[in-house]
Amino acid sequence: MNTKIIKVDKDKFKVEELEEAIHILRKGGLVAFPTETVYGLGADALNEEAAKKIYAAKGRPSDNPLIIHIADKKALEVLTWEIPKVAEQLIDAFWPGPLTIVFKKSDKVPLGTTGGLNTVAIRLPEEPISHALIKESGVYIAAPSANTSGRPSPTRAKHVIDDLDGKIDMIIDGGPVGIGLESTIIDVTSNIPTILRPGFITKDMIEAVIGEVEVDQAILDLGSDVKPKAPGMKYKHYAPKGDITIFEGNLEDVIMQINQRTKQKIENGIKVGIIATDETIYSYDYGIVKSIGSRQDNNSIARSMFALLREFDDLEVECIYTESFRDAGLGQAIMNRLLKAAGHHIINA
Ligand code: TXA
Ligand code: MG
């Protein structure tokens, strides 16, 4: 299949530029597009055949449900069985934005979209291209991250091209995304709302609006045998080709350990990449050293994490050593993704 790639400027574009993408979506085809979190791979959520194509293109297990993207909260009346009061409060506070809410689904949503579940995950993105695409097409767009299953999520069109060129109808290049980590997912179908995936909207932000929430035990005990409530969270994920090891502890000790181990690896002929920060980048003596962002600014770390993992792939790095980050606020989402990418391989420095 020939994949058409178009460039669209998210700050000034005309709806006509999206005409062909809209046509493809209405016909049951696949279009990758930017959102504020990561690039998504979109198809008509109510068309089971279209949803199936997403699984095929990504190589995604069929029990892993898709998030439906909407442009107006009125769509909830069509897609959900009921809208709990806490959901209303969350919507008023965080939509449009990087929060996905899990509802009981209506009969209109095919099981092929929800991986056989009787619940449905829904999000109303803020990014202008995605918003226009959903609104103007009139299609509820099912969209997972637009990467090959298991690889780091795409934060630029290049990442989508690397994974899906030739497998989908169109890629809309809207430039780098703003946030860089996937949306927070919260399930409001249980008595106490439960966070299933940490993201840019943090637990504290949510609790300030609806009071106490739970966090899925599988997130807290990452790497244990606890089964996550979001089916997709159980899969190996975000993994670059090189093996990642996270070093925890006092930063000076971490730097010393990484320096020692990198030297050894290089002596054995192994190509090593180091994930440093703006504050520490000059402390490393060996290896390919890259900054993931500033320790003073978690947003900068979130934004470049997946791109950096892919950069190390392009450089054919075999072994990646990384510093760790404080597990609070947005740091919880950052460490969640990093730990998964590392297959939970941590060393205490
Ligand atoms: O930021 C995002 O959410 C991006 C952009 C494109 O919107 N999308 C995204 O989709 O990250 P994906 O498919 O890569 O991750 C969706 C996650 C999976 O872990 C899936 O298991 C979970 O959401 N999920 C979807 N529907 C669910 C449901 N009904 N109940 C529980 N978890 C669900
Ligand atoms: Mg994904």
Side-chain angles (χ1 to χ4, degrees):
M1 179 189 291
N2 180 34
T3 301
K4 182 156 185 184
I5 301 168
I6 61 165
K7 266 196 193 305
V8 175
D9 182 342
K10 70 175 184 322
D11 298 318
K12 52 169 196 310
F13 67 94
K14 295 201 183 70
V15 172
E16 295 87 81
E17 294 174 53
L18 301 177
E19 226 162 64
E20 194 175 349
I22 289 170
H23 181 74
I24 294 169
L25 287 168
R26 286 186 183 152
K27 290 267 180 213
L30 301 185
V31 177
F33 60 95
T35 80
E36 66 271 40
T37 56
V38 298
Y39 273 75
L41 175 59
D44 181 349
L46 302 189
N47 175 343
E48 207 153 16
E49 289 307 310
K52 263 193 201 150
K53 290 186 195 164
I54 290 182
Y55 289 92
K58 278 181 63 86
R60 178 175 174 112
S62 62
D63 72 341
N64 190 358
L66 306 173
I67 294 174
I68 301 185
H69 296 64
I70 60 174
D72 187 322
K73 68 175 182 182
K74 279 204 200 103
L76 294 178
E77 289 163 25
V78 180
L79 302 173
T80 70
W81 177 255
E82 61 181 4
I83 307 170
K85 185 154 170 285
V86 284
E88 299 270 14
Q89 293 170 314
L90 290 170
I91 288 165
D92 287 344
F94 300 115
W95 279 9
L99 181 73
T100 296
I101 305 177
V102 176
F103 298 89
K104 289 185 181 142
K105 81 172 192 70
S106 75
D107 295 340
K108 296 233 167 53
V109 181
L111 291 169
T113 299
T114 66
L117 299 177
N118 57 13
T119 55
V120 59
I122 301 180
R123 137 168 156 75
L124 197 156
E126 180 166 38
E127 194 277 341
I129 298 171
S130 54
H131 184 79
L133 196 61
I134 308 161
K135 182 161 175 262
E136 302 299 330
S137 65
V139 172
Y140 306 124
I141 303 183
S145 48
N147 52 289
T148 298
S149 217
R151 295 210 67 211
S153 294
T155 55
R156 295 159 197 212
K158 175 193 180 289
H159 303 159
V160 183
I161 296 168
D162 285 348
D163 283 12
L164 299 176
D165 193 21
K167 297 180 175 167
I168 64 178
D169 297 290
M170 182 181 263
I171 298 170
I172 301 175
D173 179 351
V177 301
I179 292 176
L181 299 179
E182 308 86 342
S183 61
T184 306
I185 303 178
I186 185 160
D187 182 347
V188 296
T189 66
S190 47
N191 276 342
I192 303 176
T194 307
I195 294 175
L196 306 186
R197 179 171 74 183
F200 186 80
I201 307 289
T202 63
K203 180 169 184 268
D204 287 349
M205 289 160 77
I206 290 173
E207 288 188 330
V209 176
I210 58 170
E212 204 177 325
V213 298
E214 282 183 354
V215 176
D216 186 7
Q217 198 57 38
I219 295 172
L220 301 172
D221 298 346
L222 212 65
S224 72
D225 291 337
V226 180
K227 189 171 164 233
K229 292 193 172 113
M233 297 288 278
K234 71 173 176 281
Y235 293 108
K236 184 169 175 328
H237 221 143
Y238 314 122
K241 291 165 197 152
D243 281 330
I244 306 188
T245 308
I246 302 173
F247 287 80
E248 250 178 10
N250 174 305
L251 198 51
E252 276 171 25
D253 296 336
V254 165
I255 292 168
M256 202 174 71
Q257 279 269 347
I258 291 181
N259 266 328
Q260 275 175 6
R261 287 178 190 247
T262 305
K263 183 166 182 273
Q264 274 169 14
K265 289 274 181 197
I266 289 175
E267 280 167 5
N268 291 322
I270 293 168
K271 199 164 184 182
V272 182
I274 296 175
I275 299 181
T277 48
D278 292 353
E279 290 78 9
T280 60
I281 186 159
Y282 298 113
S283 310
Y284 296 98
D285 305 325
Y286 318 93
I288 302 170
V289 188
K290 303 221 175 244
S291 173
I292 192 173
S294 167
R295 290 190 164 273
Q296 309 301 321
D297 177 12
N298 269 340
N299 291 347
S300 68
I301 295 176
R303 214 177 299 126
S304 45
M305 173 145 112
F306 290 141
L308 192 53
L309 295 178
R310 281 176 179 265
E311 233 182 281
F312 280 134
D313 273 356
D314 292 345
L315 293 166
E316 294 179 346
V317 160
E318 300 162 83
C319 165
I320 300 170
Y321 291 143
T322 176
E323 299 173 9
S324 64
F325 305 97
R326 220 162 62 82
D327 190 8
L330 182 54
Q332 187 173 37
I334 291 170
M335 283 310 291
N336 172 269
R337 306 306 193 276
L338 197 56
L339 279 158
K340 292 189 98 181
H344 314 287
H345 189 198
I346 310 174
I347 291 179
N348 251 307

